[in-house]
Amino acid sequence: VVKHTGCGMLTFKNADAVAIVEKQLGPAAAQELQATSLDFLPFADLEQAVKDDVAYLTGSALVPHSVAVSGWVYEVETGRTRRVV
Ligand SMILES: [Zn+2]
């Protein structure tokens, strides 16, 4: 799993996305969007999001234990990648 600094997913919450839809497409569109319970999967903490994704994958029966899973952050500012988990 690799996420990156400066990611747009750090900049909003689902409610913000719904508000944009409502502003751009109107209340009926926003209502339909909310009815689907669609999750845009934003996250507030970069490293925690990496850890959560790794935990999800290592805990999934769909990913055999023989598959190595690790989590990383690509630092856009430096060009370096560092291991989180
Ligand atoms: Zn991104």
Side-chain angles (χ1 to χ4, degrees):
V1 174
V2 180
K3 294 186 184 288
H4 66 93
T5 57
C7 184
M9 302 304 279
L10 286 157
T11 65
F12 71 97
K13 295 180 177 162
N14 279 323
D16 300 322
V18 172
I20 291 170
V21 167
E22 182 161 11
K23 185 178 178 190
Q24 298 288 325
L25 301 175
Q31 215 166 25
E32 184 176 325
L33 179 59
Q34 286 177 306
T36 65
S37 299
L38 181 69
D39 188 347
F40 290 91
L41 302 175
F43 46 84
D45 183 314
L46 182 59
E47 293 199 6
Q48 188 60 53
V50 171
K51 291 175 185 174
D52 290 348
D53 284 359
V54 167
Y56 171 77
L57 291 171
T58 56
S60 171
L62 296 171
V63 180
H65 292 299
S66 59
V67 175
V69 180
S70 59
W72 302 76
V73 167
Y74 169 63
E75 297 176 341
V76 173
E77 303 81 3
T78 64
R80 293 179 180 265
T81 304
R82 63 183 155 80
R83 187 169 186 163
V84 174
V85 63

